Short mmCIF file of all heavy atoms in Angstrom, two decimals:
data_model
loop_
_atom_site.label_atom_id
_atom_site.label_comp_id
_atom_site.label_asym_id
_atom_site.label_seq_id
_atom_site.Cartn_x
_atom_site.Cartn_y
_atom_site.Cartn_z
N MET Y 1 -66.69 25.61 -33.26
CA MET Y 1 -67.65 26.69 -33.18
C MET Y 1 -67.67 27.41 -34.52
O MET Y 1 -66.64 27.71 -35.08
CB MET Y 1 -67.26 27.64 -32.05
CG MET Y 1 -68.22 28.80 -31.90
SD MET Y 1 -67.79 29.91 -30.55
CE MET Y 1 -68.21 28.87 -29.17
N SER Y 2 -68.87 27.70 -35.00
CA SER Y 2 -68.98 28.39 -36.28
C SER Y 2 -68.61 29.86 -36.13
O SER Y 2 -68.65 30.42 -35.05
CB SER Y 2 -70.40 28.27 -36.82
OG SER Y 2 -71.29 28.96 -35.98
N LYS Y 3 -68.23 30.46 -37.24
CA LYS Y 3 -67.84 31.87 -37.23
C LYS Y 3 -68.96 32.73 -37.78
O LYS Y 3 -68.83 33.40 -38.78
CB LYS Y 3 -66.57 32.07 -38.03
CG LYS Y 3 -65.38 31.40 -37.40
CD LYS Y 3 -64.10 31.74 -38.10
CE LYS Y 3 -62.95 31.11 -37.36
NZ LYS Y 3 -61.67 31.58 -37.81
N THR Y 4 -70.10 32.69 -37.12
CA THR Y 4 -71.23 33.52 -37.53
C THR Y 4 -71.20 34.82 -36.73
O THR Y 4 -70.72 34.86 -35.60
CB THR Y 4 -72.57 32.80 -37.28
OG1 THR Y 4 -72.65 32.46 -35.90
CG2 THR Y 4 -72.68 31.54 -38.12
N PRO Y 5 -71.71 35.91 -37.30
CA PRO Y 5 -71.65 37.18 -36.61
C PRO Y 5 -72.55 37.27 -35.37
O PRO Y 5 -72.28 38.05 -34.48
CB PRO Y 5 -72.08 38.20 -37.66
CG PRO Y 5 -72.83 37.41 -38.67
CD PRO Y 5 -72.28 36.01 -38.63
N CYS Y 6 -73.58 36.47 -35.29
CA CYS Y 6 -74.51 36.55 -34.16
C CYS Y 6 -74.46 35.25 -33.37
O CYS Y 6 -74.90 34.21 -33.84
CB CYS Y 6 -75.93 36.80 -34.65
SG CYS Y 6 -76.10 38.34 -35.53
N ARG Y 7 -73.91 35.31 -32.18
CA ARG Y 7 -73.86 34.16 -31.29
C ARG Y 7 -74.25 34.58 -29.90
O ARG Y 7 -73.97 35.70 -29.48
CB ARG Y 7 -72.46 33.56 -31.23
CG ARG Y 7 -72.06 32.83 -32.46
CD ARG Y 7 -70.76 32.16 -32.21
NE ARG Y 7 -69.70 33.15 -32.21
CZ ARG Y 7 -68.56 33.03 -32.84
NH1 ARG Y 7 -68.31 31.96 -33.53
NH2 ARG Y 7 -67.66 33.97 -32.78
N PHE Y 8 -74.83 33.66 -29.18
CA PHE Y 8 -75.22 33.93 -27.81
C PHE Y 8 -74.79 32.78 -26.92
O PHE Y 8 -74.89 31.62 -27.31
CB PHE Y 8 -76.74 34.09 -27.69
CG PHE Y 8 -77.29 35.22 -28.49
CD1 PHE Y 8 -77.78 35.01 -29.77
CD2 PHE Y 8 -77.28 36.51 -27.99
CE1 PHE Y 8 -78.28 36.05 -30.52
CE2 PHE Y 8 -77.77 37.56 -28.73
CZ PHE Y 8 -78.27 37.34 -30.00
N VAL Y 9 -74.30 33.09 -25.73
CA VAL Y 9 -74.03 32.08 -24.73
C VAL Y 9 -75.20 32.16 -23.76
O VAL Y 9 -75.42 33.18 -23.13
CB VAL Y 9 -72.70 32.33 -23.99
CG1 VAL Y 9 -72.49 31.30 -22.89
CG2 VAL Y 9 -71.54 32.31 -24.97
N THR Y 10 -75.95 31.08 -23.69
CA THR Y 10 -77.14 31.10 -22.85
C THR Y 10 -76.86 30.52 -21.48
O THR Y 10 -75.87 29.81 -21.28
CB THR Y 10 -78.28 30.30 -23.52
OG1 THR Y 10 -77.85 28.95 -23.68
CG2 THR Y 10 -78.63 30.89 -24.88
N ASN Y 11 -77.75 30.79 -20.55
CA ASN Y 11 -77.55 30.31 -19.18
C ASN Y 11 -77.51 28.79 -19.11
O ASN Y 11 -76.81 28.24 -18.27
CB ASN Y 11 -78.63 30.86 -18.26
CG ASN Y 11 -80.03 30.47 -18.70
OD1 ASN Y 11 -80.25 30.00 -19.80
ND2 ASN Y 11 -80.97 30.68 -17.83
N ASP Y 12 -78.22 28.08 -19.97
CA ASP Y 12 -78.16 26.62 -19.91
C ASP Y 12 -76.79 26.10 -20.31
O ASP Y 12 -76.33 25.08 -19.82
CB ASP Y 12 -79.25 25.98 -20.75
CG ASP Y 12 -79.18 26.36 -22.22
OD1 ASP Y 12 -78.83 27.51 -22.51
OD2 ASP Y 12 -79.47 25.50 -23.07
N ALA Y 13 -76.08 26.83 -21.18
CA ALA Y 13 -74.73 26.42 -21.56
C ALA Y 13 -73.76 26.65 -20.40
O ALA Y 13 -72.81 25.91 -20.23
CB ALA Y 13 -74.26 27.20 -22.78
N VAL Y 14 -74.03 27.66 -19.60
CA VAL Y 14 -73.13 28.00 -18.50
C VAL Y 14 -73.31 27.06 -17.32
O VAL Y 14 -72.33 26.63 -16.71
CB VAL Y 14 -73.35 29.46 -18.05
CG1 VAL Y 14 -72.53 29.78 -16.82
CG2 VAL Y 14 -73.01 30.42 -19.17
N ILE Y 15 -74.54 26.70 -16.97
CA ILE Y 15 -74.74 25.90 -15.77
C ILE Y 15 -74.88 24.41 -16.01
O ILE Y 15 -75.02 23.65 -15.08
CB ILE Y 15 -75.94 26.41 -14.94
CG1 ILE Y 15 -77.24 26.24 -15.70
CG2 ILE Y 15 -75.72 27.83 -14.49
CD1 ILE Y 15 -78.47 26.49 -14.85
N ALA Y 16 -74.83 23.98 -17.26
CA ALA Y 16 -74.93 22.55 -17.55
C ALA Y 16 -73.83 21.79 -16.82
O ALA Y 16 -72.66 22.13 -16.91
CB ALA Y 16 -74.84 22.31 -19.04
N GLY Y 17 -74.21 20.80 -16.07
CA GLY Y 17 -73.25 19.98 -15.34
C GLY Y 17 -72.86 20.53 -13.99
O GLY Y 17 -72.13 19.89 -13.25
N SER Y 18 -73.35 21.71 -13.63
CA SER Y 18 -73.03 22.28 -12.33
C SER Y 18 -73.92 21.65 -11.26
O SER Y 18 -75.06 21.30 -11.51
CB SER Y 18 -73.25 23.79 -12.34
OG SER Y 18 -72.39 24.39 -13.27
N VAL Y 19 -73.36 21.52 -10.07
CA VAL Y 19 -74.12 20.92 -8.97
C VAL Y 19 -73.95 21.75 -7.71
O VAL Y 19 -72.99 22.51 -7.57
CB VAL Y 19 -73.67 19.47 -8.69
CG1 VAL Y 19 -73.99 18.56 -9.83
CG2 VAL Y 19 -72.20 19.40 -8.36
N GLY Y 20 -74.89 21.58 -6.80
CA GLY Y 20 -74.80 22.20 -5.48
C GLY Y 20 -74.58 23.69 -5.52
O GLY Y 20 -75.27 24.43 -6.19
N GLY Y 21 -73.56 24.13 -4.77
CA GLY Y 21 -73.26 25.55 -4.63
C GLY Y 21 -72.78 26.22 -5.91
O GLY Y 21 -72.79 27.44 -6.01
N GLU Y 22 -72.35 25.41 -6.88
CA GLU Y 22 -71.88 26.00 -8.14
C GLU Y 22 -72.99 26.77 -8.84
O GLU Y 22 -72.76 27.83 -9.40
CB GLU Y 22 -71.36 24.91 -9.09
CG GLU Y 22 -70.12 24.22 -8.62
CD GLU Y 22 -69.73 23.08 -9.55
OE1 GLU Y 22 -70.23 23.00 -10.68
OE2 GLU Y 22 -68.91 22.25 -9.13
N VAL Y 23 -74.20 26.22 -8.82
CA VAL Y 23 -75.32 26.86 -9.49
C VAL Y 23 -75.60 28.21 -8.84
O VAL Y 23 -75.80 29.22 -9.52
CB VAL Y 23 -76.57 25.96 -9.47
CG1 VAL Y 23 -77.78 26.69 -10.05
CG2 VAL Y 23 -76.31 24.68 -10.25
N ARG Y 24 -75.59 28.26 -7.52
CA ARG Y 24 -75.83 29.52 -6.80
C ARG Y 24 -74.72 30.53 -7.13
O ARG Y 24 -74.98 31.69 -7.39
CB ARG Y 24 -75.91 29.27 -5.30
CG ARG Y 24 -76.18 30.53 -4.52
CD ARG Y 24 -76.31 30.22 -3.02
NE ARG Y 24 -76.62 31.40 -2.28
CZ ARG Y 24 -77.85 31.82 -2.01
NH1 ARG Y 24 -78.87 31.12 -2.42
NH2 ARG Y 24 -78.04 32.92 -1.32
N ARG Y 25 -73.47 30.07 -7.11
CA ARG Y 25 -72.34 30.96 -7.40
C ARG Y 25 -72.44 31.52 -8.82
O ARG Y 25 -72.22 32.71 -9.05
CB ARG Y 25 -71.02 30.21 -7.21
CG ARG Y 25 -69.79 31.05 -7.44
CD ARG Y 25 -68.51 30.25 -7.31
NE ARG Y 25 -68.46 29.11 -8.21
CZ ARG Y 25 -68.15 29.18 -9.51
NH1 ARG Y 25 -67.88 30.34 -10.06
NH2 ARG Y 25 -68.11 28.09 -10.25
N LEU Y 26 -72.78 30.67 -9.78
CA LEU Y 26 -72.92 31.12 -11.16
C LEU Y 26 -74.07 32.11 -11.30
O LEU Y 26 -73.97 33.10 -12.02
CB LEU Y 26 -73.11 29.93 -12.09
CG LEU Y 26 -71.88 29.07 -12.31
CD1 LEU Y 26 -72.26 27.77 -13.02
CD2 LEU Y 26 -70.83 29.81 -13.11
N GLY Y 27 -75.16 31.85 -10.59
CA GLY Y 27 -76.30 32.77 -10.61
C GLY Y 27 -75.94 34.12 -10.03
O GLY Y 27 -76.29 35.17 -10.58
N GLU Y 28 -75.22 34.11 -8.90
CA GLU Y 28 -74.80 35.37 -8.28
C GLU Y 28 -73.84 36.13 -9.19
O GLU Y 28 -73.92 37.36 -9.30
CB GLU Y 28 -74.16 35.09 -6.93
CG GLU Y 28 -75.17 34.65 -5.88
CD GLU Y 28 -74.53 34.20 -4.58
OE1 GLU Y 28 -73.28 34.06 -4.52
OE2 GLU Y 28 -75.27 33.99 -3.61
N ALA Y 29 -72.96 35.42 -9.87
CA ALA Y 29 -72.03 36.07 -10.80
C ALA Y 29 -72.79 36.71 -11.96
O ALA Y 29 -72.45 37.82 -12.39
CB ALA Y 29 -71.01 35.06 -11.32
N ALA Y 30 -73.81 36.03 -12.45
CA ALA Y 30 -74.62 36.59 -13.54
C ALA Y 30 -75.33 37.86 -13.09
O ALA Y 30 -75.35 38.86 -13.81
CB ALA Y 30 -75.62 35.55 -14.04
N VAL Y 31 -75.90 37.84 -11.90
CA VAL Y 31 -76.58 39.02 -11.37
C VAL Y 31 -75.59 40.16 -11.18
O VAL Y 31 -75.88 41.31 -11.52
CB VAL Y 31 -77.31 38.69 -10.04
CG1 VAL Y 31 -77.80 39.96 -9.35
CG2 VAL Y 31 -78.47 37.73 -10.30
N ASP Y 32 -74.40 39.87 -10.68
CA ASP Y 32 -73.36 40.90 -10.51
C ASP Y 32 -73.01 41.54 -11.85
O ASP Y 32 -72.83 42.76 -11.94
CB ASP Y 32 -72.09 40.31 -9.90
CG ASP Y 32 -72.24 39.98 -8.42
OD1 ASP Y 32 -73.23 40.46 -7.80
OD2 ASP Y 32 -71.39 39.24 -7.90
N GLU Y 33 -72.91 40.73 -12.91
CA GLU Y 33 -72.58 41.27 -14.23
C GLU Y 33 -73.69 42.20 -14.74
O GLU Y 33 -73.42 43.26 -15.30
CB GLU Y 33 -72.31 40.15 -15.23
CG GLU Y 33 -71.05 39.38 -14.97
CD GLU Y 33 -69.78 40.19 -15.16
OE1 GLU Y 33 -69.79 41.24 -15.82
OE2 GLU Y 33 -68.74 39.75 -14.65
N VAL Y 34 -74.94 41.78 -14.55
CA VAL Y 34 -76.07 42.61 -14.99
C VAL Y 34 -76.09 43.92 -14.22
O VAL Y 34 -76.26 45.00 -14.79
CB VAL Y 34 -77.41 41.87 -14.85
CG1 VAL Y 34 -78.59 42.80 -15.08
CG2 VAL Y 34 -77.46 40.69 -15.80
N GLU Y 35 -75.89 43.84 -12.90
CA GLU Y 35 -75.86 45.07 -12.09
C GLU Y 35 -74.73 45.99 -12.54
O GLU Y 35 -74.91 47.20 -12.61
CB GLU Y 35 -75.71 44.72 -10.61
CG GLU Y 35 -76.97 44.11 -10.03
CD GLU Y 35 -76.79 43.67 -8.59
OE1 GLU Y 35 -75.63 43.53 -8.12
OE2 GLU Y 35 -77.82 43.44 -7.94
N SER Y 36 -73.57 45.43 -12.85
CA SER Y 36 -72.45 46.24 -13.32
C SER Y 36 -72.81 46.92 -14.63
O SER Y 36 -72.53 48.11 -14.83
CB SER Y 36 -71.21 45.36 -13.50
OG SER Y 36 -70.14 46.11 -14.04
N TRP Y 37 -73.44 46.18 -15.53
CA TRP Y 37 -73.84 46.74 -16.83
C TRP Y 37 -74.84 47.89 -16.65
O TRP Y 37 -74.72 48.94 -17.28
CB TRP Y 37 -74.43 45.66 -17.72
CG TRP Y 37 -74.90 46.19 -19.03
CD1 TRP Y 37 -76.18 46.50 -19.38
CD2 TRP Y 37 -74.08 46.55 -20.14
NE1 TRP Y 37 -76.20 46.99 -20.66
CE2 TRP Y 37 -74.93 47.03 -21.15
CE3 TRP Y 37 -72.72 46.48 -20.39
CZ2 TRP Y 37 -74.46 47.45 -22.39
CZ3 TRP Y 37 -72.25 46.90 -21.62
CH2 TRP Y 37 -73.11 47.38 -22.60
N VAL Y 38 -75.80 47.68 -15.77
CA VAL Y 38 -76.82 48.71 -15.53
C VAL Y 38 -76.19 49.97 -14.94
O VAL Y 38 -76.52 51.09 -15.34
CB VAL Y 38 -77.95 48.17 -14.62
CG1 VAL Y 38 -78.87 49.27 -14.15
CG2 VAL Y 38 -78.74 47.08 -15.35
N ARG Y 39 -75.26 49.80 -13.99
CA ARG Y 39 -74.64 50.96 -13.32
C ARG Y 39 -73.61 51.67 -14.18
O ARG Y 39 -73.55 52.90 -14.20
CB ARG Y 39 -73.97 50.51 -12.02
CG ARG Y 39 -74.92 50.32 -10.87
CD ARG Y 39 -74.18 50.21 -9.53
NE ARG Y 39 -73.11 49.23 -9.57
CZ ARG Y 39 -73.25 47.95 -9.25
NH1 ARG Y 39 -74.42 47.49 -8.88
NH2 ARG Y 39 -72.23 47.13 -9.31
N THR Y 40 -72.78 50.90 -14.88
CA THR Y 40 -71.62 51.51 -15.55
C THR Y 40 -71.60 51.36 -17.06
O THR Y 40 -70.79 52.00 -17.73
CB THR Y 40 -70.31 50.89 -15.01
OG1 THR Y 40 -70.25 49.52 -15.41
CG2 THR Y 40 -70.22 51.00 -13.50
N GLY Y 41 -72.44 50.48 -17.60
CA GLY Y 41 -72.41 50.21 -19.04
C GLY Y 41 -71.27 49.30 -19.44
O GLY Y 41 -71.00 49.12 -20.63
N THR Y 42 -70.60 48.69 -18.46
CA THR Y 42 -69.52 47.74 -18.74
C THR Y 42 -69.70 46.51 -17.86
O THR Y 42 -70.35 46.55 -16.82
CB THR Y 42 -68.13 48.33 -18.46
OG1 THR Y 42 -68.05 48.69 -17.07
CG2 THR Y 42 -67.86 49.56 -19.31
N PHE Y 43 -69.10 45.41 -18.30
CA PHE Y 43 -69.13 44.19 -17.51
C PHE Y 43 -67.88 44.13 -16.63
O PHE Y 43 -66.83 44.65 -16.99
CB PHE Y 43 -69.17 42.95 -18.41
CG PHE Y 43 -70.45 42.83 -19.19
CD1 PHE Y 43 -70.46 42.96 -20.56
CD2 PHE Y 43 -71.64 42.58 -18.54
CE1 PHE Y 43 -71.63 42.84 -21.28
CE2 PHE Y 43 -72.83 42.47 -19.25
CZ PHE Y 43 -72.82 42.59 -20.62
N ARG Y 44 -68.00 43.47 -15.48
CA ARG Y 44 -66.84 43.29 -14.61
C ARG Y 44 -65.85 42.31 -15.23
O ARG Y 44 -64.64 42.48 -15.13
CB ARG Y 44 -67.27 42.76 -13.25
CG ARG Y 44 -68.00 43.75 -12.42
CD ARG Y 44 -68.32 43.16 -11.08
NE ARG Y 44 -69.18 44.09 -10.36
CZ ARG Y 44 -69.67 43.89 -9.18
NH1 ARG Y 44 -69.39 42.76 -8.55
NH2 ARG Y 44 -70.44 44.77 -8.60
N THR Y 45 -66.37 41.26 -15.82
CA THR Y 45 -65.53 40.23 -16.41
C THR Y 45 -65.98 40.00 -17.85
O THR Y 45 -66.71 39.07 -18.15
CB THR Y 45 -65.66 38.91 -15.61
OG1 THR Y 45 -65.53 39.18 -14.23
CG2 THR Y 45 -64.61 37.91 -16.04
N PRO Y 46 -65.54 40.85 -18.77
CA PRO Y 46 -65.98 40.69 -20.17
C PRO Y 46 -65.37 39.44 -20.81
O PRO Y 46 -64.31 38.97 -20.40
CB PRO Y 46 -65.46 41.95 -20.84
CG PRO Y 46 -64.33 42.40 -20.00
CD PRO Y 46 -64.64 41.97 -18.60
N VAL Y 47 -66.07 38.90 -21.78
CA VAL Y 47 -65.57 37.78 -22.58
C VAL Y 47 -65.08 38.36 -23.89
O VAL Y 47 -65.84 38.99 -24.62
CB VAL Y 47 -66.66 36.72 -22.82
CG1 VAL Y 47 -66.14 35.61 -23.72
CG2 VAL Y 47 -67.15 36.16 -21.50
N HIS Y 48 -63.83 38.18 -24.18
CA HIS Y 48 -63.22 38.72 -25.39
C HIS Y 48 -63.29 37.68 -26.52
O HIS Y 48 -63.05 36.50 -26.28
CB HIS Y 48 -61.77 39.12 -25.13
CG HIS Y 48 -61.64 40.13 -24.03
ND1 HIS Y 48 -61.98 41.46 -24.21
CD2 HIS Y 48 -61.28 40.00 -22.74
CE1 HIS Y 48 -61.79 42.11 -23.08
NE2 HIS Y 48 -61.37 41.25 -22.17
N PRO Y 49 -63.62 38.12 -27.74
CA PRO Y 49 -63.76 37.16 -28.85
C PRO Y 49 -62.54 36.25 -29.03
O PRO Y 49 -62.70 35.07 -29.32
CB PRO Y 49 -63.95 38.06 -30.07
CG PRO Y 49 -64.51 39.33 -29.52
CD PRO Y 49 -63.88 39.49 -28.15
N GLU Y 50 -61.36 36.79 -28.83
CA GLU Y 50 -60.16 35.98 -29.08
C GLU Y 50 -59.97 34.87 -28.03
O GLU Y 50 -59.22 33.92 -28.26
CB GLU Y 50 -58.90 36.85 -29.16
CG GLU Y 50 -58.59 37.64 -27.92
CD GLU Y 50 -59.29 39.01 -27.83
OE1 GLU Y 50 -60.16 39.30 -28.65
OE2 GLU Y 50 -58.96 39.76 -26.91
N THR Y 51 -60.63 34.95 -26.89
CA THR Y 51 -60.50 33.91 -25.87
C THR Y 51 -61.80 33.16 -25.64
O THR Y 51 -61.88 32.33 -24.73
CB THR Y 51 -60.02 34.52 -24.54
OG1 THR Y 51 -60.98 35.48 -24.09
CG2 THR Y 51 -58.65 35.15 -24.67
N LEU Y 52 -62.82 33.40 -26.46
CA LEU Y 52 -64.12 32.78 -26.26
C LEU Y 52 -64.05 31.26 -26.26
O LEU Y 52 -64.69 30.59 -25.45
CB LEU Y 52 -65.11 33.27 -27.31
CG LEU Y 52 -66.55 32.79 -27.16
CD1 LEU Y 52 -67.12 33.26 -25.84
CD2 LEU Y 52 -67.39 33.28 -28.32
N ALA Y 53 -63.26 30.70 -27.15
CA ALA Y 53 -63.19 29.23 -27.25
C ALA Y 53 -62.64 28.57 -25.99
O ALA Y 53 -62.97 27.42 -25.71
CB ALA Y 53 -62.33 28.85 -28.45
N ILE Y 54 -61.85 29.28 -25.21
CA ILE Y 54 -61.27 28.66 -24.00
C ILE Y 54 -61.90 29.15 -22.71
O ILE Y 54 -61.58 28.62 -21.65
CB ILE Y 54 -59.74 28.87 -23.96
CG1 ILE Y 54 -59.40 30.35 -23.90
CG2 ILE Y 54 -59.06 28.18 -25.13
CD1 ILE Y 54 -57.93 30.64 -23.63
N THR Y 55 -62.78 30.15 -22.77
CA THR Y 55 -63.36 30.66 -21.54
C THR Y 55 -64.83 30.36 -21.41
O THR Y 55 -65.41 30.54 -20.35
CB THR Y 55 -63.16 32.19 -21.41
OG1 THR Y 55 -63.77 32.82 -22.54
CG2 THR Y 55 -61.71 32.56 -21.31
N ALA Y 56 -65.47 29.96 -22.47
CA ALA Y 56 -66.93 29.72 -22.40
C ALA Y 56 -67.24 28.26 -22.50
O ALA Y 56 -66.46 27.47 -22.89
CB ALA Y 56 -67.62 30.48 -23.53
#
């Protein structure tokens, strides 16, 4: 992964290879994160730069 200051993890990167109920679960998790951000200004499960290579 390059070390550029602007990177985005897109939904196609997250659900690629998912099947069946996994897609629904991932979609629900994404909606939960957006709702959390809207309500509190924070994510429930943030992705930290130091662990990005192993969590994304």
Side-chain angles (χ1 to χ4, degrees):
M1 180 179 289
S2 66
K3 293 187 177 191
T4 58
C6 298
R7 287 187 286 227
F8 299 95
V9 177
T10 61
N11 59 347
D12 59 324
V14 174
I15 65 170
S18 298
V19 293
E22 293 175 15
V23 174
R24 181 178 182 91
R25 182 183 57 79
L26 288 168
E28 289 173 351
V31 170
D32 287 345
E33 291 293 342
V34 170
E35 289 176 344
S36 176
W37 178 260
V38 169
R39 281 194 309 269
T40 67
T42 60
F43 293 113
R44 289 183 187 179
T45 312
V47 176
H48 302 285
E50 61 273 9
T51 61
L52 185 60
I54 61 171
T55 59

